Structure formats: structure tokens, C-alpha cells
């Protein structure tokens, strides 16, 4: 018997201020439809997620310099990413529970402060072991940022616009990535490698001040808060693992398959995000500036992919959008890893569709995971499944690191395609939720 819960028909504070008429049409009709409070929530979530991305990418972009400074092999450098993502699962799950119990905005403030502090600490690490510990602690804040911010905005967004609204929040990842690539190009062009990687980590604290200011004016959606606080089960791990019965559906099936979906998508994504800078520099022989140019194609594709995927998840549905881009991402990974060594122009051009596809698949995550769980455990469910997927998917970059010694980084990258296959299969156990209202 299926234990997948039926859609929960509840409402949210998606209405604009009294007297303001929401604009429903146009490519950006979702923005005025949020209303003043919703737009402030969107700005806070967007800024926080961009900084989350910036602080994450300080490591992959500095990986070659770090490896040389500490004398590390590929397996050891891959372990940085794995430790970050595994610990982020704990941070994300904890932030989800905290968001259900004391509110979305309070949880967001804690995540920003945590990842900013420990990103800066990484720049002071005297040895490999200390850096590994600081990076793990940075993962505590990194893990909670997206899940809690996505829920905050989802509870303001209307069902009609939720996919594209959350896709726009997701596009902040590309903005932070682009900022990191620009800073990387400047820092490594003017500072020696032994100091440049430290400078990269130190810059991770600066933009956090802006988000702290933004979030002074951001509040949880009132009706969603009221619905959450009326439930005695809010923030309960027991609830998201409760199997269904003949009398009442449970959430166990949803949690298992949502976790597998998240594992597949993030395993593929973090394999590419972690190893492509190293692949371009060490195997393709590109300079710092050359690597930045290739990443510009990849990141611009990613930004447009987030926005396009957000629109398609509203038009096609959550499941069809993920299926489509799982297939296209796997194809792009295989093509990118097998481009002949002399075809650098083709490598440059293919970076755009690769970035587009591997990002568009994420656009439906914020709306889909929010819609799979009722209000009282939305933070717990989304925080756990998204970040458990990060933790298990984190094994992929480490495996690529160990395989790279014998297969080469380019050959090992194809392992990421297996993640997208897993994501496509996981959808078979999940319902379509397009059009569902939230509180």
C-alpha cells in the first residue's frame, strides 16, 4: 500500500499589502505577486544563498594551490569536499528542526554567521588537519542555508509562481559562484599561490554583513507561522519517518525517495563543481585567467539554467522537469569529459550547456521538497532529505579523487553521470505536486 501523503491543502501569507494588486503576468510576474514582505524575504534568501555559494567555491577554486602548499594527493583534496558535505547534512537537518520550532528567519541568521566565521578560520589553518576541521565546521552553516531560505520564500509564494520564484532563489548560487571566480582570478593573478588561497578564504566574511542587515527586515510568513505553531509535532524527526497506515498516510516513503533524489542530483553536481577547476588547470593546462574564462561560460549557463528550470517546473511539473534535465546533464557530463585534448574551443562552448543543465535540475527542488511536507515538519523534512542527499552524494567527489590517479580527472568525471541516473529512478516513488498550496 502506498504511504505517499496526499497534497496538503493549506494557504500562506502570499497576499501583498492591502490595496496593492499583484501582477500575475509576465516573465517576472512572480516578484510583485510576493508582496512587500515576501520580496524582503526573497532578498534575504537570495543574498544568503549567494554568499553560501561564494564561501563554498573558495575551496574548489583554491584546490590546486592547497594541494601544492600542503603536499596533498587527489584523494586528500577530494576529502575536503566530502567532509564539508557530510557535516553539512548534520547542520542542514539541525537547521530544519530549528526552523520548525523557532522560525525560519532565526535559523537563517545562525547559518550565515556559522559559515562566514569558519570560512575565515580556514584561511588561518596552519596544516592540512586543521583546515579539514575548519572546513567541516563551515559545513554546519553551509548545510542549513538553502533549505531554510527556500522554505521561507516558498511560504510566501503562490502555487502558480512557486517554481519560478524558487528557481530565482536558486540562481543566487550562480551569482555567488561567479563572484568567487572573479575574486579567484584577481587574487591568484596578483598574489603568490601560498598566500592567495588564504586570501580567498578571508574574503568569505565580508558580504555576510549585508545579509545580516537585510534580515533585520525579514519576517516569517504569518499564516504559515500560525499553522506551524498550532501543531504539537513541529520539528519532529519521528514524523518524517512514520510509515503509513490504513487510517492515515505517513511520510516514510516520501522521505526515503526524496533523499535518494537529492543524493543523485547532488552527487552529480558536486562531482563537477569540485573537480572541473582542477581538470581545466591540471589536465587541460589552462592558466588562472584561462580557467576563469572557461568557468565564465559554465557559470553563465548555470544562471540561465536556474531561471529557465524555474519556469519549466511550473509549466511541465516538478517530476518532468527533473527527469528532463537529469538526462541532459548525464549526456553533457559524458561529452565534456571526452573532448579531445586539442579541442579547447569545443570545451569552452560545451561549458555553457553543461552549466545550464546541471543547474536547471535544481530549480524545482525548493518548490518540490516544500510541497512534499506539511507545514509543521516542512523544515525538518526538507532540511533532512536535501542534506542527507548532500552527505551521501559527497562520496562521489572523493571517489573521483581516488579514481583520478589512475583514470585521470577527465575520465573519473563520468562517475558523476551515475548520480543523475539515480535521481531519475527516485522520481518513480514520488508524487507530482504542481499547484499545491502551502501554509
Amino acid at each position: 500500500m502506498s504511504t505517499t501523503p496526499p497534497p496538503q491543502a493549506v494557504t500562506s501569507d502570499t497576499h501583498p499589502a492591502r490595496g496593492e494588486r499583484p501582477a500575475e503576468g509576465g516573465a517576472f510576474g512572480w516578484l510583485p505577486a510576493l508582496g512587500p514582505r515576501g520580496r524582503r524575504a526573497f532578498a534575504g534568501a537570495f543574498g544568503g544563498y549567494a554568499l553560501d555559494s561564494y564561501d563554498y567555491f573558495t575551496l574548489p577554486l583554491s584546490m590546486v594551490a592547497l594541494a601544492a602548499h600542503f603536499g596533498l594527493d587527489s584523494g586528500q583534496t577530494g576529502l575536503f569536499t566530502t567532509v564539508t558535505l557530510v557535516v553539512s547534512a548534520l547542520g542542514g537537518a539541525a537547521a530544519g528542526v530549528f526552523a520548525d520550532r523557532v522560525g525560519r528567519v532565526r535559523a537563517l541568521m545562525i547559518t550565515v554567521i556559522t559559515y562566514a566565521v569558519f570560512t575565515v578560520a580556514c584561511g588561518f589553518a596552519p596544516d592540512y588537519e586543521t583546515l579539514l576541521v575548519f572546513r567541516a565546521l563551515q559545513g554546519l552553516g553551509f548545510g542549513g542555508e538553502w533549505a531554510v531560505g527556500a522554505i521561507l520564500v516558498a511560504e510566501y509564494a503562490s502555487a502558480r509562481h512557486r517554481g519560478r520564484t524558487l528557481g530565482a532563489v536558486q540562481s543566487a548560487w550562480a551569482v555567488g559562484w561567479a563572484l568567487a571566480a572573479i575574486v579567484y582570478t584577481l587574487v591568484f593573478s596578483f598574489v603568490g599561490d601560498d598566500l592567495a588561497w588564504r586570501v580567498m578564504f578571508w574574503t568569505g566574511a565580508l558580504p555576510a554583513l549585508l545579509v545580516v542587515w537585510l534580515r533585520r527586515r525579514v519576517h516569517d510568513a504569518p499564516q504559515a507561522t500560525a499553522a506551524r505553531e498550532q501543531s504539537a509535532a513541529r520539528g519532529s524527526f519521528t514524523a518524517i519517518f512514520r510509515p503509513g497506515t490504513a487510517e492515515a498516510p505517513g511520510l516514510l516513503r516520501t522521505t526515503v525517495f526524496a533523499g535518494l533524489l537529492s543524493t543523485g542530483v547532488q552527487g552529480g553536481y558536486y562531482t563537477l563543481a569540485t573537480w572541473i577547476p582542477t581538470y581545466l588547470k591540471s589536465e587541460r593546462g589552462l592558466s588562472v585567467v584561462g580557467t576563469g574564462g572557461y568557468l565564465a561560460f559554465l557559470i553563465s549557463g548555470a544562471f540561465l539554467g536556474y531561471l529557465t528550470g524555474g519556469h519549466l517546473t511550473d509549466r511541465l511539473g516538478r517530476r518532468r522537469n527533473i527527469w528532463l534535465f537529469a538526462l541532459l546533464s548525464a549526456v553533457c557530463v559524458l561529452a565534456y569529459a571526452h573532448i579531445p585534448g586539442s579541442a579547447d574551443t569545443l570545451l569552452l562552448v560545451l561549458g555553457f550547456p553543461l552549466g545550464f543543465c546541471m543547474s536547471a535540475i535544481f530549480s524545482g527542488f525548493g518548490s518540490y521538497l516544500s510541497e512534499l511536507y506539511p507545514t509543521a515538519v516542512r523544515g525538518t523534512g526538507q532540511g533532512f532529505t536535501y542534506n542527507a542527499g548532500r552527505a551521501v552524494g559527497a562520496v562521489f567527489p572523493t571517489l573521483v579523487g581516488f579514481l583520478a590517479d589512475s583514470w585521470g580527472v577527465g575520465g573519473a568525471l563520468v562517475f558523476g553521470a551515475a548520480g543523475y541516473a539515480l535521481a531519475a529512478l527516485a522520481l518513480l516513488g514520488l508524487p507530482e505536486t504542481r499547484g499545491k498550496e502551502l501554509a
Side-chain angles (χ1 to χ4, degrees):
M1 178 181 296
S2 173
T3 58
T4 303
Q8 307 285 326
V10 288
T11 59
S12 70
D13 182 26
T14 59
H15 305 291
R18 189 181 300 274
E20 180 181 335
R21 184 177 180 180
E24 293 290 325
F28 294 95
W30 56 268
L31 187 57
L34 283 171
R37 292 176 63 127
R39 288 194 291 273
R40 288 197 294 270
F42 173 83
F46 187 97
Y49 197 47
L51 293 175
D52 204 33
S53 170
Y54 180 88
D55 281 8
Y56 173 79
F57 278 107
T58 54
L59 176 64
L61 290 168
S62 304
M63 196 87 88
V64 173
L66 275 172
H69 183 82
F70 291 118
L72 309 177
D73 59 31
S74 296
Q76 289 174 305
T77 52
L79 190 58
F80 277 124
T81 297
T82 298
V83 166
T84 302
L85 299 181
V86 168
V87 176
S88 78
L90 300 175
V97 172
F98 193 58
D100 282 338
R101 294 185 177 179
V102 302
R104 314 322 192 191
V105 175
R106 289 180 182 177
L108 282 170
M109 292 293 292
I110 291 173
T111 64
V112 172
I113 294 169
T114 301
Y115 71 65
V117 167
F118 286 108
T119 298
V120 173
C122 287
F124 292 99
D127 51 45
Y128 170 71
E129 292 76 15
T130 304
L131 180 58
L132 198 62
V133 171
F134 284 156
R135 188 65 179 180
L137 293 172
Q138 186 260 5
L140 288 174
F142 169 72
E145 175 63 32
W146 178 84
V148 180
I151 293 167
L152 171 66
V153 177
E155 290 174 343
Y156 275 106
S158 67
R160 176 182 177 182
H161 293 128
R162 190 172 299 117
R164 68 201 75 177
T165 303
L166 271 296
V169 173
Q170 196 83 49
S171 72
W173 185 264
V175 173
W177 190 4
L179 180 61
I182 292 169
V183 173
Y184 158 79
T185 301
L186 293 173
V187 170
F188 276 82
S189 295
F190 295 102
V191 181
D193 283 6
D194 281 346
L195 179 61
W197 67 267
R198 295 186 185 275
V199 174
M200 283 293 295
F201 283 122
W202 293 335
T203 63
L206 297 177
L209 298 175
L210 173 63
V211 175
V212 172
W213 177 83
L214 279 172
R215 286 180 176 161
R216 291 176 61 189
R217 304 183 64 224
V218 177
H219 304 281
D220 292 0
Q223 293 184 27
T225 300
R228 185 180 70 249
E229 291 180 348
Q230 289 168 6
S231 173
R234 65 182 184 273
S236 168
F237 280 117
T238 302
I240 67 170
F241 286 102
R242 182 175 293 123
T245 65
E247 292 77 22
L251 291 168
L252 176 61
R253 178 188 175 93
T254 295
T255 298
V256 169
F257 282 98
L260 289 173
L261 172 66
S262 183
T263 296
V265 171
Q266 296 191 86
Y269 179 86
Y270 284 111
T271 295
L272 300 174
T274 300
W275 286 106
I276 280 181
T278 298
Y279 171 64
L280 292 175
K281 194 169 182 180
S282 65
E283 293 202 6
R284 306 298 298 207
L286 299 180
S287 65
V288 169
V289 174
T291 298
Y294 278 69
L295 289 177
F297 270 74
L298 189 69
I299 295 167
S300 60
F303 181 75
L304 292 177
Y306 286 129
L307 297 179
T308 303
H311 281 271
L312 289 179
T313 199
D314 281 336
R315 290 181 176 272
L316 301 178
R318 309 330 187 198
R319 299 169 80 221
R320 288 181 181 177
N321 183 70
I322 294 173
W323 262 323
L324 171 65
F325 287 107
L327 173 62
L328 294 177
S329 296
V331 170
C332 286
V333 171
L334 295 173
Y336 197 83
H338 288 90
I339 293 175
S342 59
D344 283 348
T345 301
L346 181 59
L347 186 74
L348 178 71
V349 173
L350 190 57
F352 186 91
L354 176 64
F356 184 95
C357 293
M358 74 184 204
S359 299
I361 194 172
F362 270 107
S363 293
F365 261 55
S367 54
Y368 195 30
L369 294 181
S370 293
E371 292 160 354
L372 286 172
Y373 289 94
T375 303
V377 293
R378 185 168 295 128
T380 305
Q382 185 159 336
F384 176 81
T385 55
Y386 188 80
N387 287 287
R390 262 183 179 166
V392 181
V395 175
F396 286 53
T398 296
L399 288 175
V400 169
F402 285 109
L403 292 173
D405 291 333
S406 55
W407 294 9
V409 176
L413 280 176
V414 301
F415 190 75
Y420 294 113
L422 175 61
L425 292 174
L427 286 169
L428 298 175
L430 294 170
E432 177 57 57
T433 60
R434 181 176 57 169
K436 179 179 175 180
E437 295 289 350
L438 303 180

